[in-house]
Amino acid sequence: MNEDTPRPKTLTSDPNILRKIKHKQFMRQLIPLIIVAAALVLNVIYPIYWLLYPALAAFAWYLLERMLYRTKNKIPVPQETAFVSPVDGKVQSVHQGEDATLLTIKKSWFDVVEVRLPYPGLQMEQANEWKFETPKGSIDVHIKTSKQEFFNDFSTHGQVIGLMPSNAVFTFYIPVGIKVLVQPKQVVFGGETELFSLAEDAETEEEPPSILVEPIAEEDFK
């Protein structure tokens, strides 16, 4: 980008990707809508009060799917040197190891469905194993989740690159010396919250904390 060109203030989600997510949402909502319609029609033909119960249950199912597939249309443009959170969620732990700092973020079922590109240059050999080559070393990301889907465009920093309508845990393996900018229990937002800076003059971490907030149960991913 030319230095004289004003940097955009907001990043708008790719409409093609949003359409794909909304199509997934529609297909998930179709069955409960059919059940609601069928129950109401049968109740008109055969006025039996208990037919309203499956209609109410199906309508609750419909609302749940609508909530699970929420998205954000616009976010602030990330700074070029910022490694941002890929998802909405909460920081679970920051732990200093001998070779790397481990940062863990948990996404819940009720966080927005979208996954955003945290930094340019994503190398994805497998959907749950990411690698970034940065000016301050290689950063690896391991993802644990039951449902995920990724799209092919990994070119725009902060852009939506996939969807994850489930719980997920992201573990970041960060080279020693990079200062982590978030704390345990902190709520983070996909594409917006800076996890750490990769600027050449960014402050380094001398003695990062080692804190575990809460254990992550295996049943969260079933």
Side-chain angles (χ1 to χ4, degrees):
M1 179 182 295
N2 190 306
E3 294 183 359
D4 297 330
T5 303
R7 182 177 174 83
K9 295 182 179 179
T10 58
L11 175 65
T12 303
S13 299
D14 185 333
N16 293 324
I17 290 179
L18 287 180
R19 277 195 291 270
K20 291 178 181 179
I21 294 176
K22 290 304 178 183
H23 177 71
K24 293 278 185 183
Q25 181 185 43
F26 172 75
M27 296 305 295
R28 298 278 301 183
Q29 291 176 316
L30 188 58
I31 293 177
L33 282 177
I34 291 173
I35 293 174
V36 169
L40 292 178
V41 169
L42 287 173
N43 189 61
V44 171
I45 300 173
Y46 307 102
I48 305 173
Y49 74 93
W50 58 261
L51 285 174
L52 293 177
Y53 293 119
L56 290 173
F59 185 67
W61 179 9
Y62 168 85
L63 293 178
L64 176 63
E65 295 294 347
R66 186 177 182 85
M67 181 179 63
L68 291 179
Y69 281 81
R70 298 188 331 277
T71 59
K72 295 181 289 187
N73 185 39
K74 293 182 179 181
I75 63 169
V77 174
Q79 293 295 319
E80 293 179 0
T81 56
F83 195 105
V84 296
S85 177
V87 291
D88 285 13
K90 182 181 288 188
V91 176
Q92 296 294 296
S93 66
V94 180
H95 175 72
Q96 174 64 50
E98 294 183 3
D99 302 321
T101 301
L102 271 62
L103 166 65
T104 303
I105 293 174
K106 182 176 181 181
K107 173 193 175 298
S108 78
W109 283 92
F110 303 108
D111 290 314
V112 295
V113 71
E114 61 198 23
V115 181
R116 291 182 176 269
L117 182 65
Y119 191 77
L122 168 60
Q123 301 173 31
M124 185 188 291
E125 295 183 0
Q126 300 180 34
N128 65 337
E129 297 288 344
W130 296 1
K131 181 182 288 290
F132 298 86
E133 296 297 338
T134 78
K136 292 196 171 184
S138 177
I139 296 172
D140 296 318
V141 184
H142 175 74
I143 305 169
K144 187 174 183 181
T145 186
S146 59
K147 296 179 182 179
Q148 60 187 343
E149 179 177 342
F150 293 99
F151 310 115
N152 295 324
D153 184 6
F154 301 152
S155 60
T156 304
H157 191 189
Q159 184 60 269
V160 178
I161 60 171
L163 60 102
M164 198 169 284
S166 64
N167 284 350
V169 173
F170 286 72
T171 303
F172 302 81
Y173 298 84
I174 307 160
V176 172
I178 296 179
K179 183 177 181 181
V180 176
L181 302 177
V182 292
Q183 300 293 328
K185 295 187 178 181
Q186 180 178 337
V187 175
V188 296
F189 300 96
E192 300 183 60
T193 304
E194 184 175 2
L195 302 181
F196 43 88
S197 175
L198 298 171
E200 291 295 335
D201 58 350
E203 183 180 357
T204 58
E205 179 70 86
E206 295 180 359
E207 295 183 0
S210 297
I211 305 172
L212 178 64
V213 177
E214 59 184 79
I216 300 166
E218 287 293 330
E219 53 266 25
D220 286 344
F221 306 97
K222 294 180 181 179

